[in-house]
Amino acid sequence: DTAVSQTPKYLVTQMGNDKSIKCEQNLGHDTMYWYKQDSKKFLKIMFSYNNKELIINETVPNRFSPKSPDKAHLNLHINSLELGDSAVYFCASSQSLTETQYFGPGTRLLVL
Amino acid sequence: AQSVTQPDIHITVSEGASLELRCNYSYGATPYLFWYVQSPGQGLQLLLKYFSGDTLVQGIKGFEAEFKRSQSSFNLRKPSVHWSDAAEYFCAVGAYNQGGKLIFGQGTELSVKP
């Protein structure tokens, strides 16, 4: 059973398009996150949600809009995609804001 | 400013040799720390974690790490490396009242020679 899953695994799209990445966790966790890994493999947090409430928005452009329909899901919608958005996006979850984070397999986004 | 440094970008060791990957952090608050491993094209897998208590922690796959508060370090060790250990290793640091934010090091790529 996959603990944290993401769809799609790969996403290739044109500049200016709008796309969404979905994340689901079946661990019963209250907290979920989005991280971005750039081409140099540097990982940086984008958002954290606790009980569906936004906790962190780490100076991410407002073209990125996370949505948490329930505690098991945290989706990421990106408007007007830019070349610089090309990266691997990881979803993660934890029991609370101060406990171990478990990561999904990542979504590899390529903007052409 | 909060930061995590992994001084070694790339390390090559022979199979069966011992391994130490370095991690240093700069954090204003009491930290908790993790090591994650990432195989090519894969997600991050948790190797081990330190929140409190015994400063020498054991993880999966025979890895261990030691938290040294005086040196602001959390180095990862393995006594005998296997070819399957070749991967990217990330040290990450968090703290209470930070909204769950983890700060990651730059990663250390481990290659294993036969």
Side-chain angles (χ1 to χ4, degrees):
Chain A
D1 286 344
T2 304
V4 182
S5 60
Q6 296 178 227
T7 53
K9 188 168 183 178
Y10 299 97
L11 188 52
V12 181
T13 188
Q14 299 288 330
M15 250 188 342
N17 284 351
D18 303 338
K19 291 293 179 185
S20 292
I21 307 172
K22 296 187 176 182
C23 177
E24 177 181 2
Q25 55 95 2
N26 62 6
L27 297 168
H29 288 168
D30 288 341
T31 310
M32 296 184 74
Y33 311 82
W34 280 109
Y35 286 83
K36 179 180 181 180
Q37 185 175 44
D38 65 21
S39 58
K40 296 184 179 179
K41 297 186 181 177
F42 181 64
L43 277 149
K44 186 175 179 184
I45 192 167
M46 301 172 69
F47 302 102
S48 70
Y49 267 75
N50 190 49
N51 288 318
K52 297 171 43 181
E53 179 185 348
L54 179 66
I55 303 298
I56 284 180
N57 179 339
E58 193 74 357
T59 60
V60 177
N62 57 15
R63 297 183 296 104
F64 290 79
S65 52
K67 285 189 172 49
S68 182
D70 54 59
K71 288 197 295 185
H73 296 84
L74 180 62
N75 303 323
L76 184 65
H77 187 76
I78 316 170
N79 289 327
S80 303
L81 278 155
E82 301 177 357
L83 295 176
D85 297 332
S86 295
V88 182
Y89 292 85
F90 286 101
C91 177
S93 75
S94 61
Q95 184 58 55
S96 72
L97 288 168
T98 55
E99 297 196 45
T100 302
Q101 295 181 24
Y102 296 90
F103 285 76
T107 295
R108 285 143 186 85
L109 172 64
L110 177 60
V111 182
L112 302 173
Chain B
Q2 303 160 347
S3 66
V4 178
T5 301
Q6 294 178 241
D8 304 304
I9 302 298
H10 189 194
I11 282 184
T12 300
V13 300
S14 297
E15 192 167 14
S18 63
L19 172 70
E20 182 171 34
L21 301 183
R22 295 181 290 165
C23 174
N24 294 98
Y25 66 89
S26 173
Y27 228 90
T30 300
Y32 46 86
L33 305 106
F34 306 92
W35 275 98
Y36 288 90
V37 60
Q38 183 180 26
S39 297
Q42 302 298 313
L44 284 83
Q45 181 182 22
L46 178 71
L47 282 177
L48 45 76
K49 59 189 176 184
Y50 174 79
F51 281 85
S52 64
D54 192 347
T55 56
L56 183 63
V57 293
Q58 303 296 320
I60 63 170
K61 304 184 180 185
F63 286 93
E64 68 177 27
E66 186 170 13
F67 173 59
K68 294 186 177 179
R69 186 184 302 275
S70 61
Q71 298 177 20
S72 299
S73 70
F74 188 56
N75 294 346
L76 181 71
R77 301 192 292 252
K78 186 170 184 177
S80 177
V81 169
H82 188 262
W83 64 267
S84 60
D85 293 325
E88 189 88 22
Y89 291 79
F90 292 95
C91 179
V93 179
Y96 299 95
N97 299 320
Q98 295 294 310
K101 175 180 177 179
L102 289 183
I103 295 179
F104 282 81
Q106 306 94 310
T108 297
E109 183 181 0
L110 173 66
S111 298
V112 180
K113 291 190 300 186

